[in-house]
Amino acid sequence: MAERPTKKSWAEPFKIKVVEPIKMTTRDYRLKCIEEAGYNTFLLKSEDVYIDLLTDSGTSAMSDHQWAGMMLGDEAYAGSRNFYHLEDVIRKYYGYKWIVPTHQGRAAEHIISQILIKDGDYIPGNMYFTTTRLHQELAGGNFVDVIIDEAHDPTNEHPFKADIDLQKLEDLIKKVGAEKVPYISMATAVNMAGGQPISLGNLKEVREMSHKYGIPIIHDATRVAENAYLIKEREPGYQDKTIAEIIREICDLTDGCTMSAKKDCLVNIGGFLAVNDEELYKKAQNMVVVYEGLHTYGGMAGRDMEAVARGLEESVEYEHIKARIGQVQYLGEKVLGWDIPIIVPIGTHGVFLDARRFLPHIDQDEFPAQTLAAQIFVESGVRSMERGNVSAGRDPRTGKNRRPALELVRLTVPRRVYTQAHMDVTAEAILEVFDNRDKVKGLKFTYEPEYLRFFQARFEPIT
Ligand SMILES: *Cc1c(COP(=O)(O)O)cnc(C)c1O
């Protein structure tokens, strides 16, 4: 007789209404695919992928409630009722006063950067994000990383690795002068650190400094619900608060946000900029008509805005966010159990393999994370993403690869798309690559684009 379970099983808090078949392929076929894709998982065709953990951006499964909302799209050019619904929902849950819709997150980053940053300014932030930093740089700014040192150490178990180092922040402000710091760029559930949260305790202290020097805080709210969940789990005093209450407390400590609704808000496309300052809003509202569309749709269809509004409401539900992060933790704990090196604590939206320790024989300028992502695809059909030296790009002053401390492969879990069985298969695929890691060789560029090179770069193996 089988052993009786020692603990209760868990199951996804939804049932499946629509299914999408996925394709299993042979190793030879996948080898051909990755060669054609220049060893860049971004350049693979999705239909050749078995389990797609490239990103959780725009890959979520929408609920029946969201799909129903799509049918209620008001596709008027101006004044769509879905815009007003979205505005109400953002005001209710995030509390920001003025909303400018955009087609996705980077469009909001573009607008806020162009308005607030002057040539030669400095923008401190808790680790960079690719598009965020690029827009800050294109506006003439210099991004300065002021995250705590622990964030750069994949083995450090600090529960709030996205916290800002107040000393680093104040040193920068004193060095360059507050007038050269247009805003503090604060992200929740910091992607590049491995999906690590910022604590409310830290954010309150950052707020004090922001008031002291008269510098606003602009919040990258892309993953605010996921951050709120980990505050509830880990920060003393928040156990009895709802996710919605914690989100509101975070947002109330900041002056505005940029949002990629493609993550927490459970849609396939969408975003917005939200601010409290009316002057800033008017400038943003004027800019959005130049780059995105009228200020009541900003690059989204009416139906898209309805889906964002409904998705945002679903994102604050406890059972949803618990299951979402629980699935990621399940995958992480499984591979950690086999001593496969990953970032700890396990993050919110993905499991981040530490490619330096996974492939210690490959120099960082031979792109161990890029190599590992390609290898995982070849062995298993699982698609992941590089977050290391390729993503970090070159230093604009020296022209050298930035060689970031974190050299990672991100297995990003789309929301509500895969089951626990898919996580089991993924974990076993990683184990197989890990067992054969000595044979893996590094990569070199055959094509390197100027901006955000990780998206379109091509490579070949070093022989
Ligand atoms: C995805 C993302 C962005 C950019 O948003 P897009 O919708 O992809 O343009 C910005 N910040 C963070 C933290 C993100 O994860």
Side-chain angles (χ1 to χ4, degrees):
M1 199 174 83
E3 267 186 52
R4 299 178 70 83
T6 50
K7 60 174 193 188
K8 279 222 170 98
S9 289
W10 173 91
E12 288 81 3
F14 50 80
K15 55 184 178 175
I16 296 166
K17 197 186 303 249
V18 178
V19 295
E20 183 182 341
I22 48 180
K23 186 164 93 181
M24 292 191 75
T25 52
T26 62
R27 189 179 189 279
D28 283 347
Y29 181 80
R30 293 190 295 267
L31 199 55
K32 202 172 90 265
C33 294
I34 200 75
E35 279 167 14
E36 279 170 11
Y39 290 79
N40 185 347
T41 52
F42 276 104
L43 301 179
L44 289 166
K45 289 190 182 132
S46 134
E47 61 176 13
D48 293 328
V49 174
Y50 174 41
I51 297 174
D52 202 348
L53 306 183
L54 181 75
T55 173
D56 64 339
S57 180
T59 53
S60 298
M62 293 209 295
S63 66
D64 52 358
H65 186 63
Q66 284 176 291
W67 278 109
M70 298 281 282
M71 288 305 292
L72 301 176
D74 172 3
E75 306 306 343
Y77 189 88
S80 162
R81 73 166 168 261
N82 311 111
F83 169 72
Y84 297 108
H85 181 206
L86 176 61
E87 194 178 52
D88 283 348
V89 169
I90 296 168
R91 283 179 176 153
K92 177 175 170 198
Y93 288 100
Y94 296 172
Y96 301 116
K97 289 200 189 98
W98 306 106
I99 318 303
V100 178
T102 60
H103 80 284
Q104 60 184 78
R106 71 196 68 185
E109 292 169 347
H110 171 220
I111 292 171
I112 197 83
S113 301
Q114 290 293 331
I115 295 172
L116 292 180
I117 299 171
K118 292 188 303 302
D119 206 27
D121 278 353
Y122 293 85
I123 304 95
N126 51 348
M127 204 173 268
Y128 82 101
F129 184 73
T130 52
T131 58
T132 320
R133 183 178 65 191
L134 178 63
H135 281 297
Q136 291 163 351
E137 288 174 351
L138 289 173
N142 303 282
F143 175 81
V144 182
D145 188 0
V146 294
I147 205 165
I148 55 171
D149 286 339
E150 286 87 338
H152 293 282
D153 174 1
T155 62
N156 191 299
E157 304 242 13
H158 193 293
F160 292 103
K161 278 171 127 173
D163 278 359
I164 288 175
D165 185 325
L166 296 153
Q167 193 63 51
K168 285 186 197 170
L169 177 59
E170 189 155 39
D171 286 351
L172 174 76
I173 298 170
K174 283 189 173 150
K175 190 170 130 212
V176 304
E179 67 289 348
K180 285 225 164 256
V181 182
Y183 63 91
I184 298 163
S185 184
M186 186 282 293
T188 32
V190 171
N191 196 339
M192 303 300 280
Q196 303 293 330
I198 183 171
S199 64
L200 264 163
N202 180 255
L203 184 55
K204 284 177 194 160
E205 288 180 316
V206 174
R207 189 50 164 175
E208 272 175 34
M209 200 169 293
S210 125
H211 282 320
K212 179 172 162 194
Y213 291 99
I215 302 171
I217 301 175
I218 300 297
H219 170 202
D220 183 338
T222 300
R223 302 168 189 285
V224 65
E226 294 178 352
N227 196 118
Y229 176 79
L230 290 185
I231 287 176
K232 185 175 167 73
E233 289 284 292
R234 297 179 186 167
E235 192 163 354
Y238 288 94
Q239 278 62 47
D240 298 327
K241 299 247 188 225
T242 64
I243 300 297
E245 285 167 339
I246 297 171
I247 289 174
R248 189 56 193 267
E249 193 171 334
I250 294 170
C251 293
D252 283 351
L253 289 164
T254 70
D255 300 282
C257 83
T258 55
M259 184 67 166
S260 171
K262 301 171 71 172
K263 321 293 177 29
D264 267 4
C265 291
L266 295 159
V267 291
N268 305 120
I269 193 75
F272 54 83
L273 173 68
V275 295
N276 288 333
D277 182 273
E278 198 171 351
E279 281 309 304
L280 181 55
Y281 165 63
K282 284 193 183 136
K283 285 185 191 162
Q285 201 185 33
N286 198 220
M287 251 185 97
V288 83
V289 289
V290 179
Y291 291 101
E292 296 282 289
L294 192 70
H295 58 276
T296 53
Y297 76 85
M300 282 186 283
R303 55 180 174 271
D304 296 332
M305 292 189 282
E306 190 59 31
V308 176
R310 291 175 182 221
L312 198 161
E313 286 180 315
E314 289 174 16
S315 78
V316 310
E317 284 169 15
Y318 180 71
E319 285 306 322
H320 157 70
I321 201 78
K322 179 171 178 240
R324 189 281 185 280
I325 294 179
Q327 190 178 41
V328 174
Q329 309 270 323
Y330 175 83
L331 175 62
E333 274 158 24
K334 209 150 180 167
V335 293
L336 204 53
W338 296 319
D339 286 336
I340 294 173
I342 63 170
I343 291 203
V344 288
I346 299 161
T348 48
H349 60 296
V351 172
F352 291 68
L353 303 172
D354 183 355
R356 281 169 183 272
R357 283 184 291 147
F358 203 115
L359 298 174
H361 57 288
I362 298 181
D363 181 79
Q364 204 169 4
D365 277 346
E366 296 178 358
F367 309 116
Q370 187 77 30
T371 305
L372 181 54
Q375 195 63 28
I376 290 168
F377 174 75
V378 170
E379 296 304 335
S380 66
V382 172
R383 172 155 72 170
S384 57
M385 181 197 291
E386 191 262 12
R387 278 299 185 223
N389 206 9
V390 180
S391 292
R394 291 181 188 273
D395 186 311
R397 282 174 303 269
T398 66
K400 292 228 164 72
N401 287 323
R402 281 190 168 105
R403 297 178 68 99
L406 296 179
E407 180 72 25
L408 309 173
V409 169
R410 191 179 79 180
L411 298 156
T412 339
V413 184
R415 295 166 185 80
R416 308 192 290 208
V417 171
Y418 293 114
T419 64
Q420 196 152 305
H422 291 108
M423 298 299 110
D424 291 335
V425 169
T426 299
E428 286 163 26
I430 305 301
L431 179 61
E432 199 178 328
V433 176
F434 190 61
D435 287 341
N436 297 301
R437 62 192 182 278
D438 298 348
K439 297 184 206 104
V440 180
K441 295 211 169 63
L443 296 169
K444 61 177 186 225
F445 277 112
T446 58
Y447 167 61
E448 183 182 353
E450 189 178 351
Y451 300 114
L452 302 175
R453 62 182 183 175
F454 57 96
F455 281 130
Q456 292 148 341
R458 302 184 71 86
F459 303 83
E460 65 185 20
I462 295 169
T463 46

